[in-house]
Amino acid sequence: MRGEAWLFTGVALFFAVTCSIYAVYAPDPAGIAALTVSGLMGALIAAFLWRQAYRTGPRPEDRKDVRVHEVSGRRGYFPARSYYPAISAAGTALLGLGTVQGLWLFLIGVGVLIPGVYGFVFQNPDPAR
């Protein structure tokens, strides 16, 4: 997790430096707000990843001398085929169109998005988990 944490720490620092320079030379409140929020989001992800790195300890992927057999084992459930990403994408697109076209299309988007998200969450076939 340390590699990912360093990556997002760099992203947060980049947006912090960019925001400070932008605030001096172009006092546009919308640009300053966008750069500030971008930096805060990068810092939030970096803080989470640093916390996870210290909480779980080093992974085999974090070492340079790791062998392939050390990374074996179950890392998660990744289905071969799933329709839930397409359903969620269609629901999100309908939500976006519904904000422009009208409430009726927005409500249809909500009705399509909820089963997609529900399927993502409860897709694990293992009944013990």
Side-chain angles (χ1 to χ4, degrees):
M1 292 265 183
R2 288 182 184 262
E4 296 92 344
W6 278 115
L7 175 74
F8 279 100
T9 301
V11 167
L13 289 175
F14 169 77
F15 280 116
V17 169
T18 305
C19 180
S20 63
I21 293 171
Y22 186 82
V24 169
Y25 290 109
D28 175 32
I32 294 170
L35 288 171
T36 302
V37 169
S38 298
L40 289 174
M41 286 191 293
L44 178 70
I45 295 170
F48 172 76
L49 289 173
W50 280 114
R51 179 178 168 260
Q52 286 298 103
Y54 285 117
R55 187 173 165 212
T56 60
R59 299 177 303 173
E61 293 90 351
D62 293 334
R63 296 191 343 245
K64 293 187 181 199
D65 62 337
V66 69
R67 296 187 178 265
V68 174
H69 65 84
E70 294 180 51
V71 191
S72 64
R74 183 174 177 174
R75 296 286 179 196
Y77 173 69
F78 304 103
R81 266 181 244 137
S82 177
Y83 295 108
Y84 296 118
I87 293 170
S88 297
T92 305
L94 288 173
L95 281 175
L97 286 173
T99 57
V100 175
Q101 298 297 327
L103 180 64
W104 63 275
L105 193 57
F106 184 84
L107 293 175
I108 292 172
V110 169
V112 173
L113 183 63
I114 288 175
V117 171
Y118 183 84
F120 265 130
V121 172
F122 297 107
Q123 189 173 10
N124 192 352
D126 188 9
R129 292 188 82 181

